[in-house]
Amino acid sequence: MQNFKSEYRMRNWKNIYMLHWIINPGIMFNELFLGQRVPKIMLIKKNSTKPLSEKSFIPCPHCGTIHPSLKWSSQNKTVMGNWFGLYCNHCGKVIPCLWNLTSLAIIAITLPIWIWFKKNWEKKWLMVQKEKFSKPLKLSSPEYNLWLHALEIGFGYYLLTMLINFVIFQETFTWKKPIGNLVGAMVLGFVSAALVKEMFMKKPVNKSLS
Ligand SMILES: [Zn+2]
């Protein structure tokens, strides 16, 4: 891991995107229900004109392999289901990931329920990963469908607000509220999807041309 610095910029929890992942309570849905995870350390290749998704790499702390982050993508069906972390298909171990604070609180509260199944679940999960990663993986940037992602994220936000308002805070139900929340969630979904597209898919502007 020593010669990373000359070739890559390192991102950890101090990065704004990673910090957002830790703090935003809505991320709990992505982590606990979908199994979407962000590694503790990401490397961004210096002096590259490629989009962020193509110049992002994930190092395995166990074997030192530097994986292209595109190994974990929707087209490889590896972006979800990473409940135990990101599987390293070089050494078979698990690359540690960040935890969202709300997820951590829920994990702690529900510990007496899941602790009994964890070992078996993890064993099965590792076998599934091995199988998934034994197939050839696509490493090109996937087409980003802005509207589909906006709908997905918006729906996630919507479910979460419903859960918080009516189940946790036990608000009285009126039809106006869910519809108002749906509109709000879809707007938020669109803004989030547009931000993701801007951050990860857009090629950086070549400064020498501007
Ligand atoms: Zn490894």
Side-chain angles (χ1 to χ4, degrees):
M1 297 226 177
Q2 261 54 332
N3 44 13
F4 278 5
K5 283 181 183 157
S6 58
E7 229 183 307
Y8 302 94
R9 264 181 293 129
M10 200 171 85
R11 276 188 178 176
N12 56 19
W13 66 271
K14 291 175 198 154
N15 170 267
I16 185 77
Y17 167 68
M18 313 265 261
L19 208 55
H20 167 260
W21 188 270
I22 295 172
I23 294 167
N24 181 354
I27 296 293
M28 177 277 288
F29 181 81
N30 302 58
E31 277 192 345
L32 297 187
F33 290 90
L34 306 179
Q36 280 183 336
R37 304 295 301 279
V38 168
K40 281 186 178 169
I41 292 176
M42 283 194 86
L43 302 172
I44 315 294
K45 200 159 200 154
K46 287 180 185 171
N47 310 320
S48 169
T49 53
K50 289 182 175 167
L52 190 56
S53 60
E54 285 177 39
K55 60 176 178 179
S56 300
F57 294 83
I58 299 169
C60 171
H62 309 290
C63 68
T65 305
I66 299 178
H67 299 277
S69 67
L70 284 167
K71 267 191 185 176
W72 292 272
S73 68
S74 47
Q75 57 184 356
N76 290 327
K77 297 188 172 60
T78 48
V79 80
M80 292 186 196
N82 299 312
W83 287 286
F84 293 95
L86 301 179
Y87 177 77
C88 170
N89 60 342
H90 191 252
C91 68
K93 290 184 179 163
V94 177
I95 300 169
C97 292
L98 298 174
W99 271 118
N100 172 264
L101 293 176
T102 311
S103 301
L104 270 186
I106 293 174
I107 288 171
I109 295 166
T110 55
L111 185 131
I113 304 168
W114 56 258
I115 193 74
W116 310 101
F117 311 107
K118 192 192 170 235
K119 240 186 176 167
N120 245 339
W121 183 20
E122 192 170 8
K123 220 167 133 189
K124 278 186 193 153
W125 176 85
L126 272 169
M127 276 157 63
V128 172
Q129 303 310 306
K130 204 172 172 185
E131 164 76 21
K132 260 192 199 177
F133 282 86
S134 63
K135 291 169 190 159
L137 300 168
K138 287 182 190 165
L139 296 177
S140 56
S141 269
E143 269 299 308
Y144 191 81
N145 187 331
L146 183 67
W147 290 103
L148 184 70
H149 280 86
L151 269 178
E152 277 174 5
I153 301 172
F155 191 64
Y157 277 133
Y158 181 65
L159 283 182
L160 194 74
T161 10
M162 290 290 103
L163 189 80
I164 291 173
N165 289 353
F166 298 116
V167 180
I168 299 178
F169 290 111
Q170 312 249 304
E171 273 187 27
T172 37
F173 186 85
T174 64
W175 279 108
K176 259 188 195 170
K177 277 184 203 165
I179 292 168
N181 285 337
L182 182 65
V183 175
M186 287 306 158
V187 172
L188 212 59
F190 183 78
V191 173
S192 308
L195 269 175
V196 170
K197 188 176 184 185
E198 187 68 21
M199 278 172 71
F200 292 101
M201 301 300 159
K202 203 181 152 193
K203 283 190 175 191
V205 179
N206 190 339
K207 278 180 187 151
S208 60
L209 293 175
S210 59

